[in-house]
Amino acid sequence: MKLIKAINTKTCIIAAFITIFTPSCSKNFLDVVPIDRVAKDNFFKTESDLRIAVNGVYSAQRELYSDGTFFVLEEARSDNATQNVADQAERVAPESFTDDPGNLLVLDVYTRDYDIINLCNAIVDRAPNATGDQAVIDKIVGEARFLRAATFFQLVQDFGEVPLKITESTDFNNVTQPRASVDEIYAFITSELTAAAAVLPHVNDGSEGNEVGRATWGAAMALLGKAQLQHGNKPEAATALQAVVDANIYSLLPVYADLWVPTNWNSAESIFEIQFDPANQTGSPYTSSLVPPAEAALLGIVEGGNAFAIRPTADMVNAYEANDQRKDASIAIDGSGLPYIIKYLDVAASGTGARNHFPVIRYADVLLMLAEAKGEGTDAYALINEVRNRAGLGDIDASTPGSFIDKVQHERRVELAFENQRWHDLLRLPQDETLAIMNAQLSEQFGRPFQLTPKNLLYPIPIAEIQTSGGVITQNPGY
Amino acid sequence: MKNCLSSLLTLMLIFALGGNALAQTGITGTVTGTGGPLAGVTVSVRGTNTATQTDDNGKFSINAPANATLEISYVGYETLNEKVGGRNTINVQLTATSNSLNDVVVIGYGTQKRKDVIGAVSSVAGDKIAERPVATFDQALQGLAPGLQIAQRNSSPGELSTINLRGIGSLSAGFEPLFVVDGFPTDQRNATAVNPADIQSIEILKDAASTAIFGSRGANGVIIITTKTGKGKAQLNVNISSGISTVDKHLLYDEANSAEYVQYYKEYYTNLGQTVPPAIANYDGKTNTNWQDLVYQTSPFQNYSVSVNGGDEKVSYLFSGNYIHQPGIIIGEGFDRYTARIKIDYRPSKAVTLGINLAPNFEVTKRSSPKESDAGSLQSMAGLMPPIVPVRNADGTYATFNDILPGVFNNVGNPLEVAENWKENTNAFLSIFNAYGQVKILDGLIYKTSVSGGLSYNNHKLFWKAPAGPPIYGFPATTTLNLDNSQTINWLIENTLNYKKVFGKVHALDVLAGYTGQKVSSTALSAGTNTFNISGPETLGFGSSVNRVANNGAGGNTLISYLGRLNYTYNDKYIFTGSIRRDGSSRFGVNNRYHTFGSLGLGWRISEEGFMKNVSFVDNAKIRASYGTTGSNDISDFTSRASLRSVNQSFNGTQAIGVRNQDPGNTSLTWETSKQANIGFDADLFRSKLNIIFDYYRNETTDLLLQQNVVLSSGFPGVLTNIGKVRNKGFELSVNYRVIDTKDFSWSIGGNVTHNEQKILSLGGQDELFNFFGALRSRVGYEIQEIQGVRAIGVAREGHIPAAQPEAKPGDIVFEDVNKDGQISNFLGPDGVFLGEPNLDWIYGVNTNLRYKNWTLSALVNGQNGGSTFDFYLIQVANAVNGVNFSKKFWYDGRYVSESQPGDGHTPRAGGLTNSAAGAGFVSSLGVQKTDFVRIRNISLYYDIPKTAIRKLFITGAQAYLSMENVYTFTNYIGGNPYSQRPSAGGPGLIGGSRLVGDGRELALNSVGSAPLPKVLTIGINVTF
């Protein structure tokens, strides 16, 4: 009896313990829902989700520009700018054409480009299942297609053939794709931009989802023209660019220097630009990375430092005609007598960066591309002269010395200096001319002969990509 | 604080008096040891709760039936079972042992007697740790147990060490062992907060037989910390020690003085065909600043411990408090820690035990520079700053690099100015608490339930007051405030049933079954701003509102486990252990959350066999073998889910949020599994004078949680997967020998050695993984993180310019043209070869203990061999380029000057690093340093104050001691601390394969100036009332 009582007491105590201290054994216990991120499979369900997703693509694109690698890969590579040779070897290599497949800047741009593309792919792939106003959804998909096309355009110009990865990566055992031909990539860019232009508005009205600064019809058409021109399809380029001009949305600002006022955002001349904004922790780094430290101190800029160690070449400084107002708006001379880039100078730049936006395509670019696409003629010179007159220069015409293409190239060089255009412009010239221009400028700069070869006109595919693909993805010739 | 301490003391005294056991009459006797009467020996009547303790004279009295058996036990002595046999007086002598067969060894979810253990388990007694002048027990463990590698990456006080057992077996997941404090599984951060004086013992579980019961988290081994429990008559113990920390000057960088510096740089600029900077050309011959002398200091060390403990059949208790004050040997650094513990076990009836264990802990860590910054930590700056820069300019301001050498290099800061302006404090509150209840249901069957919690709060503040003048290299240009707060709550509920019984005298059975659930949740909040226009205030509101940022994060994970173990011993000869554990973790993909782990072990106590009875010199011999699987879930909480994070974006100034990819996700992600085999042998010989333990192990980690590279065109640089295999195999040997053991004189010596071989067997189809821009590589068939670089093979001489380097000048570095293509590539190219790896082939420790009457002298030596590190500090930071100062041994003494002064044949001429093969030397064998060292880790001298001298003061025991830590280090490593490692940086574009968890460091790379571990000399007194 006593024993039974004792057991009963114990049983009660045990039962009490078990009740109090046993975690619920339900399956839910292992389902810990993260609250600092959103599960991908629960997203892309509504038009609002898609809008937030496409905002993320703009953000990724801004970060790609903000790490400044383009200044090294496009400006320092070209004859416009030079990288201090005492700087990090990785940054000096593209400038002196010693970059190899292990170059980290090349790797960086390649990786970020495909990050943007993959974000776009997710939107385009998943949008058909989202609920909401179909017109709104179509517009968002149009933005994603524009951004994806812009990124492939960047890739094809820098690397030539690249994998045409146009579906979202989900099954990682099955993501390796061989490189597509340059023609295939341009065909894709063309169809994407055509589709985007069909759904994007001419002007964003500023309401939510239609904020100024998002991609527009004009951006898609101008980019389409640019891609066609780069691929050598001048008539198609002219058609697209002419449509942009005829739409009467854009105009040149009367004063060239006004383009570079730090707060002159999305002006009448702007067609698509990178939206920096220090007040949202998304400022531009270019003031601090392009202004030499001593000069920054002199100008009272808190965050100066010339992190890119990039300056205009002597060749660039000398390229401007006398009285070209664009020179002083683009280049200044520092205390040590060396030139530096001031297009993106914001003396109020703070720890979160400068306010200046960065132009991707602006109307002057469209006018000059249209001139180039149309070919020599009165129309073309009229377009060029519209740009020249704004810079305080007189007209040119067929009688002006030099070939038409040289005159266009020159105008583009001084008008669009340090806007990441020059290197790609040079690539439109016949190969031997491009090589000759670069060899001459490099020999002058380094004081020794340079013999670039056609291999140097493309960057190497990152070695990591080739190795990871197990050889499915191949290298550019010569590397 | 003083008030606090005194009330704590009062409280302790009240308990001490209240807890006194009532003396009883009956059997009386005396317990002695080799050194005379033993006080505080527990004498209990077997099978009952009746117990008492001996007094100062070793005398006891207890009530017991005439047929009872007395169990007489005392820490460090063999437990004696003495039949009463009707006697009224029982005098016994206990035999002291180390590693006694009947010692209780703490294992997972229970205890075992040493003789029954067949896993690879090392035990370290708490008293070996308590009196060392260290703040955390892990620093004292070094060299004491085989297989255990403890590396103090950073000499600053309060920093965690990197700990691993039997080599690193994981590439992307963590490699830290599991820490278990009084049954509560936690991490190193929480475990090392335990007051060393509270520790009863530390058990290190190394093979699957012992760790499989921890299942998912056992793969990297388990370290169990058990705190003391109150026993017998109330005792008040006070331990006070105080001393000084100093820097061991022979371990500092051997920086050039001004004359050498000027000489070197004149050669440098001449060799490079550049103008010698005026400050060097026109050096006044006077300024000669030794920056290291200014940065290092001698500082006091203090440690106060007080504890009260006692117990009887109803209640046992322990209260303790500890305060440690340890300023760093680098100016402005400090560490203060306050810990307390309350541990009470209450036995209301014979069958029921209830207990609580609370251990709050508060720490304050101070830093005076960004410790992990290549050029910004004080010790790095002291190494970089030229000796020709004075401490102060003529106008009284601190001189910086540019003040004296403008336009030569970046503006390296003045370390004294930085130390004044970099105010970085971390306040941490860490606590572990536990409550349990235990019921004896039937004879031998015990049910236990416990709930434990771990709480930690971290409060970090950095205020950098940017000095006037141009910005300092590596520091924010403006005054900056950063605040971080984080908290983690960790709940654990455990229910176990344990049945222990001996059947038919020969079949001993011990069965355990249990069920546990654990939940961890954490949150973090950070905020910051800069550009303070008002001097003085250090709050966010006074800084720039535009630059103000705030962010928070949250994480969490859960774990459910079912566990079971069977121990069976036949006739004390044959031992069998089987354990099983099924774990489910929230961290893994929904398809693969559960996994079952298990192990089998066999032991044969060969000494118990009849044929061994005549072999008189063998007291005990046991052969052990085990095989099993354990796992690791040491990845971040939500990696298995494809997810998106929030980002900012503005459109024409209108702010919006967006999302971007966070983790690619992998729904089939599952446990990393380690298959571990262990064969061991224990022997006690010559009346236990000689103890030998040997283990051979072979651990294969499969389904590695590996950051697998996928093509970049997928949009992701890597996906966490379960592929690949790494093997670690090796052996451990430990030997202890009591040379002499008499009443007045004893001497013992012990040692242990571990050899480990590592090999990557598979990377799931890939050839290699890159870390740190490809300078570190993990390749199939090789060890983890092989160092990749170009091999320097000498210095060019006149008439012997290598064909592959036609532009080389005499004195330039000659590199090996591995592929014979007539040119030298950089480290990523074909001439890059493996130059070494971080895996240590050998680690070892030797300790000795010498006692003469009341005097005891002990010493501990430890060392390591066979590992290398890539020292970018020497070849990329303080690298004798651009006017920065340098190590003389590395760059100056053996350099090539001319054909008549060709140097040692491997040190290049001044400027040779930049000039040779387009700077290939920046990532070359020049920078590979061996991390071998031998260190006299500790020497201590103790004096037991004779009892006759102190009895009148109510003191029952007193000991004075002198102890010195890090006495001397023998090493060729330049920089003093071969453990220095760079925190992981990954690379641009998210490439780099950085470790996902753990302390995030690259194993084989250092780039921050290393600071030697402090030499700490203390004197102390330990008094028991």
Side-chain angles (χ1 to χ4, degrees):
Chain A
M1 195 62 205
K2 214 176 169 183
L3 179 73
I4 292 169
K5 197 181 164 191
I7 288 174
N8 278 344
T9 317
K10 285 175 196 164
T11 317
C12 287
I13 295 169
I14 294 163
F17 275 136
I18 292 176
T19 326
I20 298 165
F21 292 138
T22 305
S24 67
C25 181
S26 66
K27 270 188 168 177
N28 297 341
F29 188 69
L30 289 185
D31 278 326
V32 180
V33 179
I35 55 169
D36 63 341
R37 64 198 72 193
V38 56
K40 221 170 172 179
D41 287 334
N42 298 332
F43 204 68
F44 303 99
K45 302 273 194 221
T46 65
E47 65 176 64
S48 164
D49 286 356
L50 293 178
R51 183 181 307 130
I52 289 167
V54 85
N55 291 349
V57 185
Y58 285 102
S59 167
Q61 187 193 39
R62 173 180 47 73
E63 280 186 17
L64 167 65
Y65 276 81
S66 91
D67 82 358
T69 309
F70 283 155
F71 268 96
V72 181
L73 296 192
E74 321 293 1
E75 289 298 321
R77 182 87 154 182
S78 80
D79 53 356
N80 273 5
T82 169
Q83 183 80 33
N84 179 356
V85 290
D87 195 47
Q88 298 171 22
E90 296 293 339
R91 291 209 290 238
V92 176
E95 140 95 347
S96 54
F97 291 84
T98 51
D99 48 291
D100 59 26
N103 188 276
L104 295 170
L105 275 75
V106 172
L107 174 72
D108 182 49
V109 160
Y110 187 91
T111 309
R112 287 176 183 273
D113 277 341
Y114 276 107
D115 177 32
I116 294 170
I117 288 167
N118 191 42
L119 292 168
C120 295
N121 289 343
I123 295 170
V124 177
D125 289 358
R126 295 182 190 234
N129 300 321
T131 58
D133 182 339
Q134 195 55 45
V136 173
I137 292 172
D138 288 347
K139 187 211 169 213
I140 293 166
V141 172
E143 288 177 75
R145 292 182 132 179
F146 166 81
L147 293 163
R148 180 163 69 170
T151 311
F152 271 116
F153 184 42
Q154 182 72 46
L155 281 167
V156 76
Q157 291 177 93
D158 282 340
F159 298 98
E161 300 181 349
V162 291
L164 191 58
K165 181 81 177 71
I166 53 171
T167 52
E168 185 191 354
S169 300
T170 48
D171 172 11
F172 290 95
N173 294 319
N174 202 11
V175 286
T176 307
Q177 261 180 238
R179 301 160 81 196
S181 73
V182 169
D183 285 342
E184 283 174 285
I185 296 165
Y186 273 109
F188 178 72
I189 292 169
T190 304
S191 71
E192 285 293 282
L193 291 174
T194 309
V199 293
L200 291 175
H202 280 227
V203 176
N204 279 305
D205 63 12
S207 62
E208 190 182 5
N210 297 298
E211 295 91 346
V212 174
R214 289 181 185 271
T216 56
W217 168 86
M221 292 304 287
L223 189 66
L224 176 61
K226 203 174 186 56
Q228 296 287 16
L229 185 66
Q230 196 73 13
H231 195 40
N233 302 329
K234 286 188 180 171
E236 291 84 349
T239 309
L241 295 166
Q242 189 66 53
V244 176
V245 174
D246 293 345
N248 250 333
I249 305 168
Y250 308 104
S251 60
L252 295 184
L253 294 188
V255 179
Y256 183 78
D258 286 352
L259 283 166
W260 315 112
V261 172
T263 51
N264 204 356
W265 292 346
N266 306 306
S267 68
E269 186 169 337
S270 167
I271 296 177
F272 189 73
E273 63 190 35
I274 303 297
Q275 310 280 314
F276 290 112
D277 181 8
N280 196 23
Q281 312 296 326
T282 54
S284 151
Y286 296 151
T287 292
S288 59
S289 35
L290 294 173
V291 180
E295 201 63 11
L298 210 64
L299 293 168
I301 301 168
V302 188
E303 305 279 342
N306 196 6
F308 300 159
I310 282 179
R311 291 174 183 273
T313 59
D315 195 50
M316 180 75 232
V317 176
N318 298 332
Y320 291 92
E321 294 164 54
N323 303 322
D324 189 338
Q325 293 170 3
R326 293 173 291 198
K327 185 174 185 180
D328 288 349
S330 307
I331 296 170
I333 306 296
D334 72 8
S336 57
L338 294 169
Y340 69 98
I341 300 164
I342 56 159
K343 270 193 172 175
Y344 313 103
L345 178 67
D346 178 7
V347 288
S350 65
T352 54
R355 294 166 296 176
N356 317 60
H357 285 189
F358 187 86
V360 177
I361 305 181
R362 55 187 176 89
Y363 192 54
D365 185 7
V366 168
L367 295 179
L368 294 173
M369 285 192 292
L370 182 56
E372 186 177 336
K374 283 179 177 251
E376 186 154 25
T378 327
D379 284 4
Y381 282 114
L383 291 163
I384 295 170
N385 287 333
E386 192 180 343
V387 174
R388 284 179 62 83
N389 296 160
R390 191 261 302 260
L393 296 175
D395 286 353
I396 58 168
D397 56 27
S399 67
T400 311
S403 71
F404 173 71
I405 190 65
D406 286 350
K407 283 181 264 186
V408 174
Q409 285 266 338
H410 166 80
E411 210 55 49
R412 288 184 62 80
R413 187 182 188 195
V414 291
E415 173 68 27
L416 305 169
F418 319 121
E419 294 176 41
N420 294 347
Q421 303 285 346
R422 175 66 174 170
W423 176 246
H424 296 152
D425 285 350
L426 285 172
L427 295 179
R428 288 200 301 279
L429 295 174
Q431 256 183 22
D432 51 343
E433 277 184 45
T434 312
L435 294 174
I437 290 172
M438 285 315 301
N439 282 332
Q441 189 270 322
L442 288 166
S443 305
E444 182 192 323
Q445 183 186 332
F446 286 92
R448 61 185 163 90
F450 263 79
Q451 281 303 323
L452 300 187
T453 63
K455 111 173 182 176
N456 298 112
L457 302 180
L458 289 177
Y459 280 105
I461 302 285
I463 185 82
E465 180 74 337
I466 290 168
Q467 288 180 349
T468 310
S469 77
V472 171
I473 296 169
T474 52
Q475 188 51 277
N476 277 326
Y479 284 102
Chain B
M1 191 60 221
K2 229 175 195 175
N3 273 341
C4 254
L5 212 62
S6 63
S7 21
L8 187 68
L9 274 176
T10 317
L11 193 73
M12 288 178 170
L13 281 172
I14 291 167
F15 270 95
L17 299 171
N20 235 336
L22 288 174
Q24 294 185 30
T25 55
I27 303 160
T28 59
T30 310
V31 181
T32 50
T34 43
L38 292 173
V41 176
T42 303
V43 180
S44 58
V45 183
R46 254 178 85 169
T48 73
N49 279 335
T50 310
T52 185
Q53 287 206 322
T54 57
D55 64 12
D56 299 346
N57 299 317
K59 290 191 187 312
F60 69 93
S61 59
I62 195 165
N63 256 347
N67 62 348
T69 302
L70 294 186
E71 188 173 289
I72 301 160
S73 61
Y74 191 56
V75 176
Y77 287 81
E78 292 262 23
T79 298
L80 193 72
N81 287 308
E82 188 77 13
K83 287 214 165 86
V84 174
R87 288 177 290 175
N88 285 327
T89 308
I90 297 177
N91 296 327
V92 293
Q93 180 161 16
L94 296 183
T95 334
T97 54
S98 61
N99 208 19
S100 155
L101 295 177
N102 286 311
D103 269 357
V104 167
V105 174
V106 182
I107 54 171
Y109 303 95
T111 58
Q112 263 187 319
K113 285 182 175 160
R114 167 63 66 186
K115 63 177 177 156
D116 296 332
V117 172
I118 53 177
V121 179
S122 304
S123 298
V124 177
D127 56 9
K128 293 223 175 206
I129 290 159
E131 282 164 354
R132 294 273 294 277
V134 294
T136 57
F137 69 80
D138 52 332
Q139 294 170 15
L141 273 183
Q142 205 169 44
L144 288 180
L148 180 65
Q149 189 189 329
I150 297 175
Q152 278 172 266
R153 302 297 173 206
N154 192 324
S155 68
S156 301
E159 295 283 339
L160 291 181
S161 306
T162 304
I163 299 181
N164 78 78
L165 283 166
R166 293 185 164 180
I168 289 167
S170 181
L171 284 158
S172 297
F175 52 76
E176 174 186 88
L178 175 69
F179 289 79
V180 178
V181 178
D182 286 334
F184 181 63
T186 183
D187 59 10
Q188 186 187 354
R189 177 82 182 87
N190 281 283
T192 51
V194 173
N195 173 7
D198 285 350
I199 296 174
Q200 172 74 34
S201 70
I202 294 177
E203 261 79 20
I204 298 146
L205 280 49
K206 294 176 285 196
D207 67 340
S210 53
T211 62
I213 196 76
F214 291 101
S216 58
R217 292 167 299 174
N220 298 317
V222 180
I223 295 180
I224 298 182
I225 296 106
T226 309
T227 60
K228 289 173 180 163
T229 301
K231 247 196 277 203
K233 206 178 94 180
Q235 281 193 335
L236 170 67
N237 184 284
V238 178
N239 189 345
I240 296 170
S241 69
S242 152
I244 49 165
S245 299
T246 53
V247 59
D248 203 344
K249 287 208 169 178
H250 90 279
L251 294 175
L252 293 176
Y253 287 103
D254 54 329
E255 294 288 303
N257 64 26
S258 285
E260 292 152 345
Y261 173 87
V262 166
Q263 173 62 31
Y264 188 88
Y265 275 106
K266 281 182 175 166
E267 293 172 23
Y268 173 90
Y269 286 105
T270 309
N271 289 344
L272 295 182
Q274 297 171 7
T275 319
V276 180
I280 294 171
N282 311 323
Y283 169 59
D284 63 4
K286 284 181 204 147
T287 311
N288 186 17
T289 312
N290 185 329
W291 291 101
Q292 293 194 108
D293 279 357
L294 297 168
V295 160
Y296 289 96
Q297 65 178 4
T298 294
S299 63
F301 172 92
Q302 284 158 357
N303 187 349
Y304 306 96
S305 276
V306 54
S307 74
V308 175
N309 78 82
D312 58 22
E313 63 264 36
K314 282 284 184 199
V315 179
S316 51
Y317 56 88
L318 169 97
F319 304 101
S320 78
N322 171 251
Y323 168 61
I324 281 184
H325 172 67
Q326 192 181 9
I329 53 168
I330 290 176
I331 53 172
E333 296 191 348
F335 180 67
D336 287 90
R337 191 180 62 200
Y338 311 84
T339 60
R341 180 174 300 275
I342 300 172
K343 191 172 175 182
I344 299 170
D345 298 294
Y346 172 56
R347 288 170 286 272
S349 75
K350 283 182 181 179
V352 177
T353 310
L354 302 169
I356 58 163
N357 185 352
L358 307 173
N361 175 309
F362 183 68
E363 294 175 1
V364 179
T365 311
K366 285 187 180 143
R367 293 291 177 262
S368 50
S369 68
K371 287 306 298 177
E372 308 286 16
S373 160
D374 293 353
S377 67
L378 292 185
Q379 72 266 25
S380 285
M381 275 191 274
L384 284 168
M385 274 294 254
I388 62 168
V389 175
V391 176
R392 287 177 188 273
N393 293 315
D395 63 2
T397 57
Y398 282 113
T400 64
F401 195 99
N402 281 11
D403 288 340
I404 306 302
L405 292 155
V408 170
F409 184 58
N410 296 304
N411 189 25
V412 178
N414 185 313
L416 299 182
E417 188 174 32
V418 166
E420 274 179 21
N421 292 294
W422 186 272
K423 290 192 270 179
E424 186 177 4
N425 282 12
T426 308
N427 294 351
F429 174 78
L430 302 160
S431 75
I432 294 178
F433 53 86
N434 166 269
Y436 76 92
Q438 170 176 311
V439 186
K440 192 196 269 182
I441 300 171
L442 298 166
D443 187 30
L445 180 64
I446 292 174
Y447 170 74
K448 182 179 177 183
T449 184
S450 87
V451 55
S452 313
L455 275 177
S456 63
Y457 293 92
N458 220 48
N459 182 336
H460 172 260
K461 177 184 173 188
L462 163 66
F463 188 75
W464 161 245
K465 192 169 172 299
I472 295 175
Y473 179 47
F475 287 83
T478 58
T479 295
T480 299
L481 172 68
N482 285 330
L483 299 168
D484 305 281
N485 279 305
S486 62
Q487 68 172 58
T488 303
I489 304 174
N490 184 344
W491 287 102
L492 171 72
I493 290 157
E494 293 183 324
N495 293 284
T496 53
L497 264 175
N498 188 198
Y499 184 61
K500 273 189 194 186
K501 185 124 183 136
V502 180
F503 296 95
K505 292 189 177 170
V506 291
H507 306 282
L509 196 64
D510 182 347
V511 187
L512 173 82
Y515 165 58
T516 79
Q518 186 161 16
K519 178 173 184 150
V520 179
S521 46
S522 59
T523 59
L525 176 65
S526 64
T529 188
N530 57 27
T531 322
F532 286 69
N533 292 322
I534 302 172
S535 169
E538 298 178 9
T539 55
L540 293 168
F542 283 91
S544 153
S545 59
V546 171
N547 297 349
R548 200 178 297 154
V549 289
N551 235 316
N552 71 326
N557 66 78
T558 51
L559 184 73
I560 287 182
S561 315
Y562 309 89
L563 53 97
R565 180 173 56 211
L566 171 71
N567 287 339
Y568 168 71
T569 307
Y570 175 73
N571 208 8
D572 254 4
K573 271 187 212 165
Y574 309 108
I575 309 163
F576 167 83
T577 294
S579 62
I580 189 162
R581 174 154 174 158
R582 182 162 173 79
D583 269 331
S585 168
S586 64
R587 282 180 171 159
F588 295 119
V590 283
N591 307 333
N592 285 301
R593 280 187 174 154
Y594 281 93
H595 199 277
T596 305
F597 304 93
S599 71
L600 289 174
L602 295 169
W604 180 25
R605 293 190 64 209
I606 195 166
S607 51
E608 301 304 300
E609 295 289 352
F611 60 82
M612 289 293 288
K613 291 292 176 206
N614 295 331
V615 186
S616 62
F617 69 91
V618 177
D619 308 311
N620 173 50
K622 179 168 65 180
I623 296 169
R624 303 174 272 114
S626 74
Y627 179 79
T629 59
T630 59
S632 170
N633 66 347
D634 202 355
I635 54 170
S636 46
D637 287 336
F638 305 121
T639 315
S640 66
R641 303 157 189 249
S643 61
L644 304 159
R645 66 190 158 92
S646 71
V647 291
N648 289 357
Q649 179 61 16
S650 294
F651 297 101
N652 201 38
T654 304
Q655 300 176 359
I657 65 139
V659 291
R660 286 178 64 183
N661 285 315
Q662 168 77 26
D663 284 309
N666 180 351
T667 47
S668 40
L669 200 64
T670 192
W671 303 90
E672 181 169 293
T673 305
S674 179
K675 297 175 184 164
Q676 308 187 336
N678 192 89
I679 295 171
F681 178 78
D682 302 345
D684 299 325
L685 310 172
F686 308 110
R687 301 173 73 190
S688 290
K689 269 190 154 183
L690 179 65
N691 315 111
I692 298 170
I693 303 172
F694 174 85
D695 281 282
Y696 168 81
Y697 62 88
R698 194 170 182 280
N699 300 344
E700 265 184 28
T701 317
T702 58
D703 291 339
L704 285 179
L705 286 165
L706 191 70
Q707 188 72 12
Q708 181 194 10
N709 297 348
V710 293
V711 287
L712 302 167
S713 44
S714 69
F716 291 101
V719 176
L720 196 64
T721 49
N722 291 105
I723 50 167
K725 210 190 241 189
V726 169
R727 185 180 66 206
N728 279 281
K729 63 175 182 178
F731 65 82
E732 301 165 355
L733 174 66
S734 78
V735 176
N736 281 288
Y737 185 50
R738 280 185 287 142
V739 186
I740 299 167
D741 195 1
T742 65
K743 191 181 170 210
D744 282 342
F745 185 58
S746 69
W747 180 35
S748 68
I749 184 160
N752 66 74
V753 59
T754 308
H755 174 68
N756 187 55
E757 289 171 24
Q758 188 178 60
K759 192 173 185 179
I760 298 172
L761 301 177
S762 155
L763 290 172
Q766 289 181 88
D767 294 336
E768 60 183 4
L769 290 175
F770 284 17
N771 283 65
F772 206 75
F773 309 108
L776 304 176
R777 296 175 183 220
S778 299
R779 185 182 295 171
V780 175
Y782 292 81
E783 298 186 353
I784 294 174
Q785 291 205 351
E786 297 274 351
I787 293 166
Q788 164 111 358
V790 182
R791 193 189 301 282
I793 51 173
V795 163
R797 298 292 298 269
E798 231 166 83
H800 296 279
I801 301 298
Q805 294 165 251
E807 290 175 9
K809 302 274 186 331
D812 280 351
I813 311 163
V814 177
F815 299 103
E816 188 181 0
D817 181 12
V818 176
N819 67 339
K820 309 279 180 218
D821 65 350
Q823 52 191 12
I824 300 299
S825 73
N826 72 6
F827 72 104
L828 290 162
D831 294 329
V833 289
F834 285 171
L835 301 167
E837 22 65 33
N839 176 45
L840 298 175
D841 300 337
W842 298 94
I843 53 176
Y844 51 90
V846 177
N847 62 78
T848 185
N849 198 296
L850 186 67
R851 181 181 60 80
Y852 177 68
K853 289 192 171 166
N854 290 354
W855 295 90
T856 307
L857 180 70
S858 74
L860 172 65
V861 172
N862 76 305
Q864 63 182 40
N865 198 289
S868 295
T869 190
F870 217 166
D871 202 323
F872 279 10
Y873 184 77
L874 289 176
I875 58 169
Q876 296 203 351
V877 182
N879 59 353
V881 165
N882 292 328
V884 302
N885 206 4
F886 48 84
S887 155
K888 272 195 305 181
K889 181 179 171 187
F890 198 76
W891 290 111
Y892 186 84
D893 291 341
R895 77 192 186 286
Y896 176 97
V897 180
S898 64
E899 281 301 305
S900 55
Q901 285 174 266
D904 59 15
H906 60 83
T907 310
R909 63 180 181 143
L913 180 64
T914 35
N915 209 52
S916 312
F922 284 108
V923 187
S924 73
S925 61
L926 274 187
V928 178
Q929 281 215 71
K930 291 217 173 301
T931 57
D932 302 349
F933 72 84
V934 181
R935 175 175 288 146
I936 303 173
R937 181 72 196 190
N938 180 273
I939 295 180
S940 298
L941 180 66
Y942 303 91
Y943 177 64
D944 287 301
I945 298 165
K947 289 191 172 138
T948 49
I950 50 176
R951 192 160 295 159
K952 282 179 185 157
L953 301 167
F954 305 102
I955 294 172
T956 55
Q959 188 183 52
Y961 59 90
L962 187 69
S963 179
M964 191 173 206
E965 197 75 1
N966 298 321
V967 182
Y968 195 84
T969 305
F970 304 88
T971 184
N972 285 323
Y973 181 88
I974 299 171
N977 184 7
Y979 294 132
S980 297
Q981 275 180 355
R982 184 187 213 278
S984 182
L990 313 171
I991 298 292
S994 310
R995 196 166 283 278
L996 299 173
V997 291
D999 68 357
R1001 286 162 192 271
E1002 301 295 3
L1003 296 171
L1005 195 110
N1006 178 46
S1007 62
V1008 182
S1010 89
L1013 302 184
K1015 191 190 261 193
V1016 188
L1017 175 68
T1018 53
I1019 61 171
I1021 182 153
N1022 186 353
V1023 185
T1024 308
F1025 297 92

